[in-house]
Amino acid sequence: KIIVIGRNEITIENHKGIMVFEKDRIKINTNMSPIEIKGDSFEILYIASATITIKGYFDSIEYEVNDEWLLIR
């Protein structure tokens, strides 16, 4: 489950860890596929074994389905 609040906050449930955490890009592994968030000023508000909440400015959210990246803007 992914909950997006505006362009500033995202909560991802059932994550499997952080793959990349950079100033302008975050990649989170999930049960289904990796999720890549591009933007700026990211910070982790909450992290637990299955849930992560990230704050920042989001330009795009992408996820992989059948070896293809789908873009959410």
Side-chain angles (χ1 to χ4, degrees), residues 33-45:
S33 72
I35 295 170
E36 187 166 337
I37 304 164
K38 294 178 183 174
D40 195 27
S41 304
F42 295 130
E43 67 180 89
I44 297 171
L45 294 180

Side-chain angles (χ1 to χ4, degrees), residues 33 68-70 73:
S33 72
E68 237 181 273
W69 282 93
L70 302 176
R73 285 198 175 198

Side-chain angles (χ1 to χ4, degrees), residues 9-27:
E9 189 174 308
I10 185 169
T11 298
I12 301 169
E13 295 180 358
N14 299 316
H15 77 89
K16 296 295 180 189
I18 299 169
M19 301 169 73
V20 175
F21 191 96
E22 298 173 348
K23 180 184 174 191
D24 60 351
R25 180 174 80 110
I26 298 174
K27 192 170 185 180

Side-chain angles (χ1 to χ4, degrees), residues 52-64:
I52 186 168
T53 301
I54 299 166
K55 177 183 173 183
Y57 178 78
F58 307 143
D59 287 329
S60 65
I61 301 169
E62 302 176 31
Y63 62 98
E64 190 175 354

